[in-house]
């Protein structure tokens, strides 16, 4: 009959062996994951699935981030000091990335717009085109937008609001090009056409600087002009990839 000491020693040995197996598994899992997701994409690539956290400033401070689930899906969010926000989810297909998003924006004339979009990006190379050092993508999608614009009349002491809404589609081009090992140029334009006479254009261009493989600084200039109003942006941002 085994003594209590012998039983305890046996259990201790089993626990030690199990602990070693667990440590070994935790050691090789990152290597296995690295092999499964070996495709390396630029930090600016809109089809990249990664967990990121960032902060930016353009007239006001904003925090943004994405949370990746494997190598196919991610959640996205952004919120600014004034309460403007956007949330969304993306899924990567073989030929494109598809994103659903909702956002609230305030324009320079006081108009507040809430929009819901379903769209994505198609890499030009997936369509058989050669673009040299450029990586070119086609942004596309459908958007429903609703806005409240303030109006005033001489005999009124308080502002009133008028509701406006529209269904629209958008199409554009977005490109990134390495300048050197550390810097990348990026630019894009979207054109929108919708119901109720809604139309608009948005443009942006900037330069990003890769401090490390995981840390990126960017400066950009953006412009939006549509039936709801006009908005200009000059900003700087920092993002950390995990």
């Amino acid at each position: 009959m085994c003594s209590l000491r012998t039983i305890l020693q046996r259990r201790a040995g089993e626990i030690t062996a199990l602990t070693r197996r667990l440590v070994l598994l935790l050691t090789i899992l990152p290597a296995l994951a690295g092999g499964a997701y070996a495709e390396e994409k630029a930090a600016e690539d809109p089809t990249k699935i990664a967990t990121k956290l960032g902060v930016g400033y353009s007239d006001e401070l904003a925090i943004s981030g994405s949370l990746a689930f494997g190598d196919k899906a991610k959640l996205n969010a952004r919120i600014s000091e004034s309460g403007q926000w956007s949330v969304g989810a993306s899924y990567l297909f073989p030929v494109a990335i598809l994103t659903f998003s909702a956002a609230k924006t305030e324009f320079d004339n006081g108009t507040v717009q809430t929009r819901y979009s379903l769209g994505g990006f198609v890499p030009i190379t997936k369509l058989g085109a050669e673009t040299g050092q450029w990586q070119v993508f086609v942004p596309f999608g459908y958007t429903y937008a609703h806005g409240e614009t303030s109006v005033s009349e001489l005999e009124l002491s308080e502002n009133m609001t008028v509701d406006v809404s529209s269904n629209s589609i958008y199409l554009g081009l977005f490109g990134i090009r390495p300048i050197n090992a550390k810097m990348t140029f990026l630019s894009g334009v979207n054109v929108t056409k919708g119901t109720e006479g809604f139309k608009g254009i948005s443009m942006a261009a900037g330069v990003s600087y890769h401090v490390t493989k995981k840390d990126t600084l960017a400066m950009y200039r953006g412009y939006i002009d549509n039936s709801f109003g006009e908005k200009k942006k000059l900003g700087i941002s920092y993002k950390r990839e995990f």
Side-chain angles (χ1 to χ4, degrees), residues 48-69:
K48 186 172 187 177
I49 301 293
T51 296
K52 296 182 180 182
L53 185 62
V55 60
Y57 184 83
S58 176
D59 299 328
E60 60 177 347
L61 196 65
I63 298 173
S64 63
S66 61
L67 179 62
F69 296 89

Side-chain angles (χ1 to χ4, degrees), residues 74-195:
K74 65 177 179 176
L75 297 178
N76 317 296
R78 182 183 184 277
I79 188 167
S80 67
E81 284 183 289
S82 65
Q84 299 184 64
W85 53 264
S86 66
V87 293
S90 304
Y91 190 86
L92 182 62
F93 291 92
V95 296
I97 190 169
L98 191 64
T99 297
F100 172 77
S101 64
K104 177 184 176 182
T105 303
E106 183 174 347
F107 292 91
D108 295 341
N109 63 0
T111 299
V112 177
Q113 180 197 73
T114 303
R115 68 182 187 275
Y116 305 91
S117 297
L118 179 63
F121 290 85
V122 178
I124 286 287
T125 53
K126 296 293 184 180
L127 304 177
E130 296 294 335
T131 56
Q133 289 186 299
W134 281 89
Q135 287 182 262
V136 182
F137 307 84
V138 177
F140 67 94
Y142 160 81
T143 298
Y144 169 76
H146 178 268
E148 291 184 349
T149 182
S150 61
V151 297
S152 60
E153 298 179 14
L154 294 178
E155 67 271 18
L156 297 176
S157 58
E158 296 181 357
N159 285 343
M160 300 180 64
T161 60
V162 174
D163 293 340
V164 287
S165 61
S166 175
N167 295 280
S168 60
I169 58 173
Y170 65 89
L171 189 67
L173 283 176
F174 173 73
I176 61 177
R177 185 188 188 281
I179 299 173
N180 53 42
K182 288 286 188 179
M183 299 180 69
T184 300
F185 175 75
L186 51 157
S187 64
V189 58
N190 279 356
V191 177
T192 306
K193 184 72 174 177
T195 59

